[in-house]
């Protein structure tokens, strides 16, 4: 299947336009009363969670660290307890996590921890200023919540663009009644990396937020051509500008902006940021992590995209993958050669290992770069960094082509409330927003998207921009269409509409945002809030 056909398939699945009347706005002009993140409704919902009675106590120290990325490459960054990715947390469904964040970051930097994908109690969601005050430098804050849904998750800060540093780690919630049969597990965290190498995420954002209005860049990001006119991995004849690191970690006059990153699969523009490295489990492709096993072993791979600006096309050379879960929830099993994973998304796959040495490649979609790890079950040399398994160009599956497993599919029901979530903005002035309004950190409840407890809610993501956006909803999982997978993060292609449904069963104030860290920080966020 060629890339144009793959793109058409993806668009057909993701571009399902919603039907029906949109919810009317409150014409009274008065601000609606909202459920408090620590109010009685939140406490009442939390009491209904099934608990195991077991508590995991731990401390996560956010501080300066020197990350060893392999091949002699080190990076001065920030990390949890000195390593990136941070140490994997593994609990069983129903367990309580009591995680104390100790903020030892420099320069009076505030931070938080967001437990990405976990439908937890609202005041533990880790989102300043909506659900808590940011944790000040030198202070501690304890997150205490029940993780009652098994699945593959991760955690990261929700302050500024700290996500693009080393402050992230996997969180695996095991199913005490695990229905899958497999011999081993391998958790794989994908990331695009520049911190402490060519600059810092704050340097990147400072440049991006200036926009492209004064720069002669043709229509690379803001052109009027249709997404279908893009040409896969064609870099448009434009060169990559690689920033030079200054003594302060910033750039010396050269751009962090990646020009000509194009992908027909993503509808055109693939990303904004020029990353020198793409990592799997914190390692560069020249010095990869190696998973050692034996031929015939059945392995569960848990894939997490912790990147800030990059979608990855993932394949294991010489093997088929069977997709079993996305964003923690089971799907009807589907075999594929490769899968597409956007920022914030997670996939679980099963694979039966052959005999030999095989590259697991995460190709940075549209960016002409890769991350790599290695599976070794026998003798043979380690694949080179430029290896491109043929599976990457074979059958490719994205979330829109999956179907929810029967036991997690939402019951058929007419939506009680429908909200149009228009994704707006562009690179020219870097004015990313939702419904034309940038999220105001000083007034987070200024323009809430109101829902009521026990409602079936439909969100119509209407992407009016020329770039794709992975849209993430906190505190809930939604379903793509009437039979699609249950997810908390989904790719919305340019000039398409994606309709998702969820049951309002977790009261509070929840962020809805693009999981491109720079788009979200620029303003593509909104508050989904329960009315009282």
């Amino acid at each position: 299947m060629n890339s144009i056909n793959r793109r058409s398939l993806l668009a057909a699945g993701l571009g399902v336009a919603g039907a029906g009347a949109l919810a009317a706005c409150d014409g009274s002009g008065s601000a609606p009363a909202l459920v408090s993140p620590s109010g009685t409704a939140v406490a009442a919902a939390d009491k209904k969670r099934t608990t195991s009675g077991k508590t995991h106590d731990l401390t996560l120290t956010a501080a300066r660290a020197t990350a060893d990325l392999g091949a002699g490459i080190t990076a001065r960054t920030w990390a949890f307890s000195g390593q990136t990715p941070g140490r994997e947390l593994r609990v069983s469904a129903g367990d309580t996590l009591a995680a104390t964040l100790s903020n030892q970051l420099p320069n009076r930097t505030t931070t938080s921890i967001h437990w990405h994908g976990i439908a937890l109690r609202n005041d533990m969601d880790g989102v300043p200023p909506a659900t808590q005050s940011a944790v000040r430098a030198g202070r501690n804050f304890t997150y205490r919540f029940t993780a009652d849904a098994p699945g593959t998750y991760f955690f990261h800060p929700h302050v500024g663009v700290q996500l693009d540093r080393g402050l992230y780690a996997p969180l695996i919630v095991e199913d005490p009644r695990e229905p899958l049969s497999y011999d081993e597990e391998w958790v794989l965290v994908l990331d695009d990396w520049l911190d402490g190498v060519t600059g810092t995420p704050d340097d990147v954002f400072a440049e991006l937020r200036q926009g492209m209005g004064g720069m002669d860049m043709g229509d690379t990001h803001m052109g009027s051509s249709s997404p279908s006119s893009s040409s896969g991995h064609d870099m448009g004849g434009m060169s990559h500008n690689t920033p030079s690191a200054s003594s302060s970690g910033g750039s010396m006059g050269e751009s962090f902006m990646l020009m000509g990153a194009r992908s027909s699969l993503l509808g055109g523009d693939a990303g904004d940021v020029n990353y020198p490295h793409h990592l799997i489990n914190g390692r560069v492709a020249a010095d990869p992590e190696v998973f050692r096993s034996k031929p015939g072993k059945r392995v569960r791979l848990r894939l997490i995209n912790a990147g800030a600006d990059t979608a990855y096309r993932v394949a294991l050379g010489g093997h088929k993958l069977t997709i079993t879960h996305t964003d923690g929830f089971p799907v009807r099993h589907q075999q594929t050669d490769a899968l597409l994973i956007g920022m914030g998304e997670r996939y679980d796959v099963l694979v039966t290992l052959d005999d030999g040495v095989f590259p697991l490649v995460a190709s940075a979609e549209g960016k002409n770069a890769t991350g790599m790890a290695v599976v070794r079950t026998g003798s043979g040399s380690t694949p080179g960094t430029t290896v491109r398994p043929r599976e990457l160009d074979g059958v490719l599956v994205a979330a829109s082509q999956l179907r929810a497993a029967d036991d997690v599919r939402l019951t058929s029901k007419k939506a009680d409330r429908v909200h149009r979530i228009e994704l707006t903005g562009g690179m020219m002035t870097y004015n990313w927003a939702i419904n034309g309004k940038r999220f105001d950190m000083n007034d987070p409840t200024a323009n809430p998207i109101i829902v009521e407890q026990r409602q079936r809610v439909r969100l119509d993501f209407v992407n009016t921009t020329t770039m794709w956006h992975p849209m993430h909803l906190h505190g809930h999982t939604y379903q793509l269409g009437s039979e699609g997978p249950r997810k908390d993060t989904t790719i919305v292609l340019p000039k398409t509409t994606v309709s998702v449904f969820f049951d309002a069963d977790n009261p509070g104030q929840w962020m809805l945002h693009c999981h491109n860290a720079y788009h979200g920080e620029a303003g593509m966020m909104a508050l989904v809030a329960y009315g009282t």
Side-chain angles (χ1 to χ4, degrees), residues 30-189:
S30 60
L34 306 179
V35 169
S36 168
S38 56
T40 56
V42 171
D46 194 49
K47 286 181 180 178
K48 295 178 181 178
R49 303 184 198 280
T50 301
T51 62
S52 66
K54 184 175 181 180
T55 298
H56 301 262
D57 291 288
L58 67 146
T59 297
L60 296 165
T61 302
R64 286 190 178 106
T66 299
D68 178 4
L69 307 182
I73 301 168
T74 59
R76 290 181 296 173
T77 186
W78 301 343
F80 289 122
S81 304
Q83 66 183 78
T84 186
R87 182 175 62 87
E88 173 190 304
L89 299 185
R90 189 172 286 258
V91 301
S92 290
D95 289 358
T96 296
L97 192 63
T100 297
L101 167 62
S102 175
N103 182 2
Q104 302 301 321
L105 295 175
N107 303 322
R108 299 183 179 180
T109 302
T110 62
T111 191
S112 73
I113 297 178
H114 167 57
W115 309 90
H116 184 108
I118 299 288
L120 75 178
R121 56 177 296 145
N122 190 218
D123 53 0
M124 294 291 111
D125 196 40
V127 182
T131 66
Q132 70 169 100
S133 298
V135 181
R136 290 188 289 174
R139 300 291 182 88
N140 295 346
F141 182 89
T142 298
Y143 295 90
R144 186 180 184 91
F145 60 90
T146 299
D148 59 351
T152 300
Y153 307 98
F154 71 118
F155 57 93
H156 60 79
H158 219 282
V159 172
V161 289
Q162 293 177 12
L163 169 66
D164 209 13
R165 295 187 186 259
L167 292 162
Y168 59 83
L171 171 58
I172 309 302
V173 182
E174 295 182 323
D175 190 341
R177 297 178 294 277
E178 178 59 64
L180 293 181
S181 175
Y182 53 93
D183 302 305
E184 298 173 302
E185 272 194 30
W186 190 18
V187 179
L188 296 136
V189 184

Side-chain angles (χ1 to χ4, degrees), residues 57-388:
D57 291 288
L58 67 146
T59 297
L60 296 165
T61 302
R64 286 190 178 106
T66 299
D68 178 4
L69 307 182
I73 301 168
T74 59
R76 290 181 296 173
T77 186
W78 301 343
F80 289 122
S81 304
Q83 66 183 78
T84 186
R87 182 175 62 87
E88 173 190 304
L89 299 185
R90 189 172 286 258
V91 301
S92 290
D95 289 358
T96 296
L97 192 63
T100 297
L101 167 62
S102 175
N103 182 2
Q104 302 301 321
L105 295 175
N107 303 322
R108 299 183 179 180
T109 302
T110 62
T111 191
S112 73
I113 297 178
H114 167 57
W115 309 90
H116 184 108
I118 299 288
L120 75 178
R121 56 177 296 145
N122 190 218
D123 53 0
M124 294 291 111
D125 196 40
V127 182
T131 66
Q132 70 169 100
S133 298
V135 181
R136 290 188 289 174
R139 300 291 182 88
N140 295 346
F141 182 89
T142 298
Y143 295 90
R144 186 180 184 91
F145 60 90
T146 299
D148 59 351
T152 300
Y153 307 98
F154 71 118
F155 57 93
H156 60 79
H158 219 282
V159 172
V161 289
Q162 293 177 12
L163 169 66
D164 209 13
R165 295 187 186 259
L167 292 162
Y168 59 83
L171 171 58
I172 309 302
V173 182
E174 295 182 323
D175 190 341
R177 297 178 294 277
E178 178 59 64
L180 293 181
S181 175
Y182 53 93
D183 302 305
E184 298 173 302
E185 272 194 30
W186 190 18
V187 179
L188 296 136
V189 184
L190 318 178
D191 191 23
D192 41 19
W193 191 278
L194 57 75
D195 190 35
V197 177
T198 57
T200 72
D202 293 317
D203 296 332
V204 175
F205 187 60
E207 178 185 313
L208 291 176
R209 68 188 306 181
Q210 297 175 26
M212 296 171 59
M215 303 175 72
D216 181 16
M217 295 181 179
D219 65 357
T220 303
H221 286 73
M222 294 296 294
S224 59
S225 60
S226 68
S228 61
S229 68
S230 62
S231 53
H233 292 278
D234 177 22
M235 302 311 288
M238 303 187 76
S239 63
H240 290 252
N241 296 323
T242 304
S244 302
S246 69
S247 60
S248 63
S251 66
M252 296 188 347
E254 294 192 60
S255 179
F256 291 105
M257 196 177 293
L258 176 62
M259 305 312 305
R262 309 290 291 174
S263 165
S264 57
L265 186 63
L266 294 173
D269 185 5
D272 300 336
V273 181
N274 183 16
Y275 288 95
H277 304 297
H278 293 271
L279 312 179
I280 298 182
N281 288 350
R283 309 291 293 182
V284 296
D287 192 0
E289 178 171 286
V290 179
F291 181 79
R292 290 178 169 81
S293 187
K294 295 180 180 179
K297 290 290 186 181
R298 189 170 171 85
V299 180
R300 180 178 191 166
L301 308 181
R302 297 182 184 261
L303 295 157
I304 301 167
N305 186 349
D309 182 69
T310 307
Y312 291 98
R313 191 186 300 214
V314 180
L316 176 59
H319 292 78
K320 296 280 189 179
L321 307 175
T322 299
I323 301 173
T324 65
H325 296 73
T326 180
D327 292 1
F329 277 69
V331 297
R332 293 180 188 172
H333 291 192
Q334 186 162 331
Q335 192 175 79
T336 186
D337 294 312
L339 59 83
L340 177 71
I341 178 169
M343 296 86 79
E345 289 189 292
R346 293 90 62 211
Y347 283 89
D348 292 20
V349 303
L350 292 176
V351 59
T352 300
L353 299 181
D354 205 344
D355 187 5
V357 183
F358 308 97
L360 188 146
V361 173
S363 175
E365 182 62 26
K367 294 187 174 183
N368 195 28
T370 58
M372 187 180 74
V374 171
V375 173
R376 179 177 289 276
T377 63
S379 60
S381 58
T382 299
T385 59
T386 60
V387 66
R388 184 176 176 86

